[in-house]
Amino acid sequence: MTFDVLISALWVVLQPQVLIVVLLASVYGLFIGAIPGLSATMATALLIPLTFYMDPVPAIAAIVATTAMAITAGDIPGALLRIPGTPASAAYVEEAYALNMKGKAQLAMGLGIVFSAAGGLFGALVLLVSAPLLARASLNFSSFEFFWLALLGLLTSALVSTNAPARGLFSLCLGLLISTVGLDVTSGQPRFTFGVIDLYGGVSFIPTMIGMFAFAELLRGLSSAASVPPVPAKESVFSNSFAGVWGAFRRYPWSFLRGSTLGSSIGALPGVGGDLAAWIAYGMSRRFSKTPEKFGTGHEEGLIEASSSNNAGLSSAWVPALVFGIPGDAVTAIAIGVLFMKGLNPGPKLFVENPTMLTAVILTFALANLFLIPIGFLAIKGARYVLAVPRGLIVPTILVFCVVGSFAINNTVFDIAIMLVAGLVAYLMEANRFPIAPVILGLVLGPVLERNFIMSMQIADGNLLGFFSRPVAAGLGILVCAIIVIPILRSLATRLRRPLS
Amino acid sequence: MTFDERILGLALVLFGIAVAWQSQAIPSVPGATFGPSLMPTIVGLLMAGCGLSIFIGGVRAADGGPLVDISVWRGHRRGLACAVWAVAGVLVGILFMPVLSFPLFGVSYALPLMLLMRARPLPAVIVSLVVVLVAYFAFKRLLYVPLPSGPLTFLG
């Protein structure tokens, strides 16, 4: 990429039309993301009809800005109501909520917004500078590596989210089981559909997430078990929306760098996407922390690392999407469709044929993340009003959005039923100390895991040692085995030591 | 509502076995060694294993507590009524929203719940109407989601 191309691309991005689109898309993303249960993917999907009327750069800018803002705004209900806006923010929702319960809601949201923006800028830089290198490395990956990566993410979520591994593992298995419902992609055989036509396409992810995280949470809130977060005083909490953020950065600079680097690396892997990054980042932060016991009690360290990785992964998920046309996640899959509609086929040729346009698309990531700070500031200010609204008004309002949000995915009331069942199941699970987040991750990554598992089994002809036949796969495999074996050995060692003491 | 660990563990073991058993009924593809039943079978067996672990933990830590504990709702009749309304209302929506229209369903669902939750009547009426209409027009007009309008054809 030459300097001239960069300047031309910058000129394209700074056009008033693009700036206005980014601003409006950010506000829209904020609106959708801040409403519990409405996800960034849904916001993006619903935006697509509008992008028909736009040029390629503003169209992609709108998608990028909406996604970045919706994901970041998803941290707000996460911190205030313990309802994550996205699967990625589910990784650290407990931590953010615990900070809120300590009366530090502003710090939780401020950390989320600033480190999301900083991580997003980091990811944009990675995308701009080293996209071809990262994509080339991930291109060499086979189903073995993808299988291990998916399993690593799933196990991390199951083990990080609870102190009871059996419960975490069961939640994960439930998510994997739900992901198998519907027609099997490879064989076309129906699985667990019980003759219900609406299930042939599988269990919709977004209604399930709305049910498990929003509806169940609201039910829990109606019982005596709910602890209502303290409503902080305006002066003490919302006087400076970003107070304490700089101090947190100075205390944990490595968390930011590690999270951003990890997010960029994982997000760039085709088919993996950015969601996994936040889970692994949170798990890694806990592992490397000097104070792991503080995790889950409202500790800033994990929040910084996961927030940074979240948006860094979001940007770098576009590396394989733009360079090779392989989507990293649902949002990039939608965006690739938009590029095709505009007559632009993502791939290496596009870098040669239209480098200015492609560079401009990449620069919109930086722009969208820069917009996060002022709009995020307004979001935090607005969040105060959410806390001030009587609970009797806000709970039914959220329930109405749960219903309409579930309906809007496939325009069918069947998805409302999925939301209801998922909500009731999640309520019972949580009451019995089963973590919910692994269910969602199992549901999202289940197809990735299964596809790569079956493919790897066929390649290795059923020989499990084949999963370790490639160097990177062997490294990842050993890491996964260590994650499984080390806690078991620790538990055994503790039991053996106990009688002696 | 919480269950005794032994009951819970046993139920999960049975559920896992049922999943693994049902997976065997999934037809395999001729010639394919690893068919569509492999993954659900593994998942079912893992679930049964987790259930067994919870059951064993429950047997070890048995303290003679109730098998099913609903104390969380005891003495909170209003909260229970709200929860029942929240669930039953959605059920009604699933069955009747296409006929009733989203705005009518939304208001008749949200307003009583607001009043049950001790919101003041006037704000409750205003907020429920505004929320439902904003959701309706935002999704229907701006986002092209075909929310049912039922008899309210004048809303478009």
Side-chain angles (χ1 to χ4, degrees):
Chain A
M1 183 194 308
T2 63
F3 186 71
D4 289 346
V5 169
L6 195 64
I7 294 296
S8 310
L10 202 61
W11 180 249
V12 172
V13 170
L14 293 178
Q15 291 301 305
Q17 189 201 357
V18 179
L19 293 175
I20 290 168
V21 163
V22 169
L23 181 69
L24 291 176
S26 298
V27 174
Y28 164 70
L30 170 70
F31 171 73
I32 298 283
I35 295 174
L38 302 188
S39 73
T41 311
M42 181 189 158
T44 310
L46 295 173
L47 187 75
I48 297 310
L50 299 177
T51 60
F52 277 122
Y53 306 100
M54 297 178 193
D55 291 332
V57 172
I60 297 297
I63 292 173
V64 171
T66 299
T67 315
M69 194 65 225
I71 284 183
T72 307
D75 293 351
I76 294 171
L80 296 180
L81 302 166
R82 199 165 154 250
I83 303 171
T86 60
S89 58
Y92 49 89
V93 68
E94 298 288 347
E95 206 69 68
Y97 188 69
L99 259 178
N100 178 22
M101 296 304 282
K102 283 180 174 176
K104 294 180 180 176
Q106 160 267 330
L107 181 61
M109 292 187 285
L111 286 173
I113 283 165
V114 171
F115 284 99
S116 291
L121 285 171
F122 188 96
L125 195 67
V126 168
L127 179 63
L128 190 69
V129 176
S130 60
L133 289 173
L134 282 168
R136 204 177 301 151
S138 62
L139 250 194
N140 293 328
F141 281 17
S142 68
S143 60
F144 295 112
E145 284 85 1
F146 285 126
F147 167 74
W148 286 124
L149 267 174
L151 195 59
L152 183 67
L154 291 170
L155 282 176
T156 306
S157 81
L159 299 176
V160 163
S161 56
T162 175
N163 291 324
R167 282 177 150 80
L169 198 58
F170 183 86
S171 295
L172 176 59
C173 287
L174 185 63
L176 292 173
L177 178 66
I178 298 170
S179 79
T180 64
V181 174
L183 290 179
D184 177 43
V185 181
T186 48
S187 67
Q189 297 294 341
R191 296 189 293 189
F192 306 112
T193 53
F194 305 105
V196 180
I197 301 293
D198 287 296
L199 284 176
Y200 275 49
V203 175
S204 298
F205 159 67
I206 290 171
T208 309
M209 194 177 120
I210 293 173
M212 291 205 144
F213 283 115
F215 195 79
E217 180 63 26
L218 296 174
L219 280 185
R220 200 182 71 90
L222 294 171
S223 76
S224 63
S227 47
V228 179
V231 180
K234 181 182 174 182
E235 296 75 19
S236 64
V237 175
F238 293 103
S239 50
N240 179 359
S241 298
F242 296 132
V245 172
W246 175 242
F249 176 74
R250 283 198 305 184
R251 277 195 298 281
Y252 307 110
W254 290 111
S255 294
F256 163 68
L257 281 174
R258 202 167 47 213
S260 300
T261 311
L262 185 82
S264 303
S265 311
I266 292 175
L269 299 174
V272 176
D275 287 350
L276 193 62
W279 290 93
I280 297 181
Y282 186 79
M284 259 180 76
S285 183
R286 191 179 194 176
R287 293 262 174 215
F288 284 103
S289 175
K290 289 174 185 166
T291 52
E293 72 282 355
K294 288 187 179 175
F295 278 68
T297 62
H299 192 41
E300 300 143 358
E301 199 176 354
L303 210 57
I304 290 172
E305 193 149 338
S307 299
S308 309
S309 73
N310 207 351
N311 276 31
L314 194 69
S315 301
S316 66
W318 287 66
V319 172
L322 290 177
V323 181
F324 302 105
I326 304 168
D329 54 16
V331 170
T332 46
I334 294 168
I336 282 181
V338 171
L339 284 176
F340 273 119
M341 281 189 311
K342 305 281 176 196
L344 299 166
N345 299 346
K349 273 189 180 174
L350 200 57
F351 277 87
V352 181
E353 289 168 0
N354 204 342
T356 304
M357 201 281 298
L358 210 61
T359 309
V361 165
I362 294 172
L363 285 177
T364 60
F365 285 87
L367 188 68
N369 281 291
L370 283 174
F371 269 65
L372 275 183
I373 305 279
I375 296 175
F377 178 81
L378 294 176
I380 294 179
K381 290 288 179 193
R384 179 164 61 87
Y385 297 103
V386 176
L387 284 176
V389 174
R391 204 170 164 76
L393 293 179
I394 207 164
V395 169
T397 300
I398 296 170
L399 281 169
V400 168
F401 277 102
C402 287
V403 171
V404 76
S406 302
F407 179 88
I409 304 307
N410 295 312
N411 304 330
T412 165
V413 288
F414 187 78
D415 281 351
I416 305 177
I418 287 180
M419 184 273 292
L420 181 64
V421 172
L424 292 173
V425 169
Y427 171 76
L428 285 175
M429 284 179 70
E430 199 164 40
N432 289 282
R433 295 182 289 119
F434 285 85
I436 303 302
V439 183
I440 295 296
L441 203 68
L443 178 57
V444 175
L445 284 181
V448 177
L449 184 79
E450 184 178 10
R451 189 174 59 245
N452 289 297
F453 175 62
I454 297 291
M455 205 183 289
S456 302
M457 286 292 275
Q458 282 166 346
I459 293 168
D461 203 20
N463 181 6
L464 291 177
L465 284 176
F467 283 71
F468 299 86
S469 58
R470 294 162 57 92
V472 177
L476 287 168
I478 290 167
L479 188 63
V480 168
C481 293
I483 286 176
I484 298 167
V485 172
I486 287 174
I488 296 171
L489 290 178
R490 266 192 194 160
S491 164
L492 283 174
T494 313
R495 279 186 194 174
L496 286 172
R497 236 179 272 137
R498 206 175 288 155
L500 294 173
S501 61
Chain B
M1 183 192 286
T2 57
F3 298 95
D4 181 88
E5 299 278 286
R6 291 163 294 176
I7 300 270
L8 193 64
L10 203 60
L12 297 183
V13 168
L14 292 174
F15 181 70
I17 290 170
V19 167
W21 183 268
Q22 178 71 25
S23 303
Q24 303 314 302
I26 300 170
S28 56
V29 182
T33 321
F34 309 104
S37 62
L38 179 61
M39 181 79 168
T41 305
I42 295 172
V43 167
L45 292 176
L46 273 173
M47 284 174 135
C50 293
L52 191 63
S53 168
I54 292 167
F55 176 77
I56 292 169
V59 170
R60 281 187 185 153
D63 56 359
L67 294 180
V68 180
D69 184 6
I70 52 164
S71 60
V72 72
W73 292 105
R74 203 168 290 146
H76 293 84
R77 295 166 94 179
R78 187 177 284 269
L80 184 61
C82 291
V84 169
W85 183 268
V87 173
V90 175
L91 267 176
V92 169
I94 293 165
L95 295 172
F96 298 110
M97 195 171 79
V99 183
L100 203 64
S101 82
F102 172 74
L104 281 181
F105 157 73
V107 173
S108 55
Y109 177 53
L111 181 59
L113 190 56
M114 284 178 182
L115 296 174
L116 261 176
M117 293 185 76
R118 292 203 173 98
R120 285 184 295 156
L122 186 63
V125 170
I126 294 170
V127 170
S128 62
L129 275 172
V130 168
V131 162
V132 169
L133 288 176
V134 165
Y136 180 78
F137 284 111
F139 276 85
K140 185 136 189 171
R141 292 282 171 82
L142 296 178
L143 305 173
Y144 307 106
V145 175
L147 284 169
S149 31
L152 307 178
T153 45
F154 58 91
L155 288 176

